[in-house]
Amino acid sequence: MRVVVDLSRCQGYAQCAFLAPDAFRMHGEEALMYSSNPDDAQRHQVLRAAAACPLQAILVDQLEGRDAPVGTSPS
Amino acid sequence: MSTADTLQGFKRDGRVVIVGASLAGLRAAEALRDEGFTGKLTMIGDELGEPYDRPPLSKQVLTGWVPADGTTLPRRRDIDAEWLLGVPADGLDLANNHVRLADGRTVPFDRMLISTGVRARPWPVEAEAALDGVFVVRTREDAAGLQRAVAAGPSRVLIIGAGFTGSEIASVCRERDIPVTVAELAPSPLVGGLGAMIGEIAADMQRAHGVDLRCGVKVTQLEGDAQGRVRRAHFSDGSTVDADVVVVALGGIRNTEWLRDSGLAVGVWGVACDAGCRAFDLNGLVTDDIFVAGDVARSPNPMYEYRFISLEHWANAVEQAEIAAHNMVSTQANRWPHLSIPTFWSIQFGVNIKSVGVPTYADEVVVTQGSVADHRFVAAYGYQGRVTAAVSFNNAKWLDHYRQLIERAAPFPPPCPTPDQPLDAKPVPVDFPGPTLLAQGATVVVTGHDPGERRVTAMRQHR
């Protein structure tokens, strides 16, 4: 699954690192490191982490594979 | 037919072309559909594959945690676009409203968005840049190559340029206990973006983590062996360093060459546009159909005396994309200005560095709270007695407070908002190398929260 965190919003509350520790980790005191493509098996935890973020800074893919471009399209 | 009818027709079955299919282009496409645009949408990008996120490339990807091809951006919604990928745009014909691709195709449009971003500045000597082991970091292919080289356990990594990207890469290498030399022409790391005081703190941080930091020197030559592998770097002070990996982190070049003959106001600082993301032509006239967003946009910010500012910030790309998309499908009375206070972050040596405002737009800086020695503090930047920016080290929760001070043009130095008032809270000159943004001019304050409500009001200067 695809994840991106708006780190300009993130304030290091670490709720995500608590709820989905395989996808979100604290680096030092308040810096967040995260996996951009956590395993689908973690989907439930990642969605809970996104819902729990006080800044709502975690965006999870709303499409999952649809609407993907397929290389260079013919003209 | 009224203007409103024309606009409704455009929203229903007009043609929008977005040139630059990365963060800004994707978010603009999503916002256009959110705004009710149901016409034809074409995404043009020079890289193959779906839009991906770049900030992790110098962090999670370099550590090996996330694969280089694993940062594809999540989608907020279906955009129902035609994707023309792997071929760069080569020209823009404003008389006939079409984009030319490098393979000769032309793509007509009614309105277009330019979001072609920035590419890495290469090492200037081509033969030396081509040596095995010499890297830049901008694309996922760059990051994949550097990740492999770092994972192979090089004897030493030389990083040329101690800006944010170079410093982040140095940090990752030190975490893996790889010997690192950082060469910087300026007196300290990060000094160009954050000034001398923060630069000295960043220098201490690098040295405390074992970086061989050499400031005030220039790399004059990269030397390779018979196999074409980089082996050694020569410095302007006559010294040398043996390294088998060299990372060139000298910032970016805005991708504007394809617009050279377009008649738009294009230069090394990007494509000039108004606060509503509408491009200016060479005469300084604003265009109706051409919009700009992201790293390649250069727009006036009323908070900073209407100076044209280009920002290579993630949040700026997202915000401008949304403003541009809104204005593309709105009548003149409903256009929004992009009045956001810039925000930026960097993660290095275990410290979360964040900023709000424009730190280069300042004459003084002061530590307002926390402790510099513990690398947990906030520094406020001021210009002519008002707060213009703030930088936090491991103190991000406070930045929103400073953002509000900037929006209100609050007096500088601001009072410490917490009990942890630093002992020596005296403003010092901000001291940037090279030219800065400063001039005399109007001071304004921002009101409103939602993009549709945000406006500025002029105010009197504090001094």
Side-chain angles (χ1 to χ4, degrees):
Chain A
M1 61 187 300
R2 300 174 183 178
V3 173
V4 74
V5 180
D6 182 347
L7 289 176
S8 48
R9 273 202 222 171
C10 173
Q11 295 185 358
Y13 283 96
Q15 295 296 304
C16 54
F18 175 72
L19 290 165
D22 291 335
F24 303 94
R25 295 176 197 160
M26 299 314 289
H27 184 74
E29 280 179 36
E30 68 165 39
L32 174 67
M33 295 286 242
Y34 65 95
S35 170
S36 309
N37 66 339
D39 195 272
D40 278 332
Q42 295 172 42
R43 187 170 186 83
H44 181 64
Q45 290 96 307
V46 170
L47 289 175
R48 278 185 58 188
C53 173
L55 282 302
Q56 289 293 291
I58 301 171
L59 175 65
V60 179
D61 202 346
Q62 306 294 305
L63 282 185
E64 291 305 329
R66 286 191 293 129
D67 192 42
V70 282
T72 307
S73 341
S75 48
Chain B
M1 198 157 68
S2 74
T3 313
D5 289 338
T6 312
L7 189 69
Q8 279 312 311
F10 164 71
K11 269 179 85 167
R12 195 175 54 245
D13 49 29
R15 299 162 301 177
V16 170
V17 169
I18 295 179
V19 184
S22 192
L23 177 66
L26 176 63
R27 292 294 178 247
E30 291 171 341
L32 270 173
R33 294 301 190 199
D34 277 346
E35 295 264 356
F37 176 73
T38 54
K40 182 173 161 60
L41 182 56
T42 306
M43 306 285 291
I44 295 173
D46 60 345
E47 292 185 68
L48 283 169
E50 291 184 64
Y52 61 93
D53 206 30
R54 296 184 200 273
L57 298 181
S58 56
K59 307 176 191 79
Q60 297 97 305
V61 169
L62 199 51
T63 64
W65 183 19
V66 175
D69 60 1
T71 72
T72 308
L73 281 163
R75 301 295 188 81
R76 294 192 316 194
R77 57 162 298 145
D78 195 353
I79 59 169
D80 185 23
E82 180 188 15
W83 297 77
L84 303 179
L85 298 178
V87 184
D90 194 30
L92 170 63
D93 182 340
L94 282 179
N96 298 299
N97 269 13
H98 66 240
V99 175
R100 275 195 316 277
L101 301 187
D103 62 9
R105 280 182 283 175
T106 58
V107 186
F109 62 81
D110 298 307
R111 290 196 163 162
M112 78 170 295
L113 177 71
I114 297 166
S115 51
T116 41
V118 161
R119 65 181 182 277
R121 184 177 298 282
W123 183 245
V125 183
E126 239 173 88
E128 296 176 12
L131 290 169
D132 263 355
V134 178
F135 296 91
V136 293
V137 181
R138 181 73 195 174
T139 67
R140 56 184 157 203
E141 289 76 19
D142 297 336
L146 180 59
Q147 193 276 326
R148 279 193 300 272
V150 166
S155 63
R156 178 168 293 273
V157 174
L158 166 66
I159 296 160
I160 306 175
F164 289 101
T165 305
S167 299
E168 287 175 0
I169 294 167
S171 168
V172 170
C173 291
R174 288 307 300 146
E175 272 172 46
R176 304 180 67 123
D177 218 25
I178 297 165
V180 173
T181 297
V182 171
E184 169 59 53
L185 185 56
S188 58
L190 313 186
V191 66
L194 300 180
M197 187 187 76
I198 299 289
E200 278 167 34
I201 297 166
D204 289 345
M205 223 161 66
Q206 294 211 2
R207 291 194 169 113
H209 283 83
V211 172
D212 167 33
L213 175 65
R214 303 183 182 200
C215 293
V217 295
K218 198 172 174 171
V219 175
T220 52
Q221 190 204 340
L222 300 177
E223 184 186 325
D225 61 17
Q227 284 74 46
R229 285 202 52 87
V230 70
R231 287 293 173 224
R232 178 173 294 170
H234 296 259
F235 294 82
S236 53
D237 61 2
S239 62
T240 62
V241 156
D242 287 351
D244 34 18
V245 171
V246 173
V247 182
V248 178
L250 295 172
I253 299 174
R254 291 179 172 77
N255 291 316
T256 58
E257 291 83 354
W258 68 286
L259 295 167
R260 197 179 294 134
D261 303 319
S262 66
L264 292 180
V266 168
V268 291
W269 294 108
V271 185
C273 60
D274 75 355
C277 300
R278 293 188 300 164
F280 283 113
D281 74 7
L282 273 178
N283 301 304
L285 291 173
V286 77
T287 57
D288 282 332
D289 301 330
I290 313 296
F291 292 73
V292 198
D295 293 358
V296 77
R298 176 173 181 248
S299 65
N301 190 324
M303 288 305 293
Y304 299 96
E305 292 175 345
Y306 300 91
R307 295 262 155 170
F308 280 80
I309 297 175
S310 329
L311 297 164
E312 293 176 42
H313 296 177
W314 193 94
N316 181 67
V318 172
E319 289 158 5
Q320 282 189 324
E322 287 168 359
I323 297 283
H326 171 84
N327 289 344
M328 258 189 191
V329 294
S330 297
T331 55
Q332 181 166 327
N334 293 312
R335 281 183 202 135
W336 293 345
H338 178 229
L339 289 180
S340 177
I341 306 295
T343 58
F344 176 80
W345 82 87
S346 174
I347 297 169
Q348 47 184 281
F349 304 103
V351 174
N352 191 31
I353 303 176
K354 296 185 80 166
S355 78
V356 288
V358 182
T360 46
Y361 189 89
D363 49 18
E364 285 183 314
V365 59
V366 62
V367 175
T368 46
Q369 60 185 99
S371 154
V372 169
D374 297 343
H375 296 152
R376 190 189 303 110
F377 66 91
V378 181
Y381 292 69
Y383 179 57
Q384 297 202 339
R386 68 174 168 111
V387 180
T388 52
V391 169
S392 70
F393 274 47
N394 279 348
N395 231 323
K397 288 185 180 67
W398 278 99
L399 278 192
D400 204 47
H401 167 74
Y402 290 87
R403 185 181 57 75
Q404 291 171 33
L405 295 184
I406 298 164
E407 289 191 348
R408 295 203 308 266
F412 177 92
C416 176
T418 61
D420 62 341
Q421 167 116 38
L423 293 174
D424 185 22
K426 251 203 197 94
V428 295
V430 71
D431 197 9
F432 284 100
T436 63
L437 279 169
L438 304 179
Q440 299 283 346
T443 294
V444 298
V445 294
V446 177
T447 59
H449 180 69
D450 290 334
E453 294 167 357
R454 282 172 73 81
R455 295 291 183 271
V456 296
T457 322
M459 72 169 287
R460 286 175 47 208
Q461 305 242 11
H462 292 292
R463 68 180 190 209

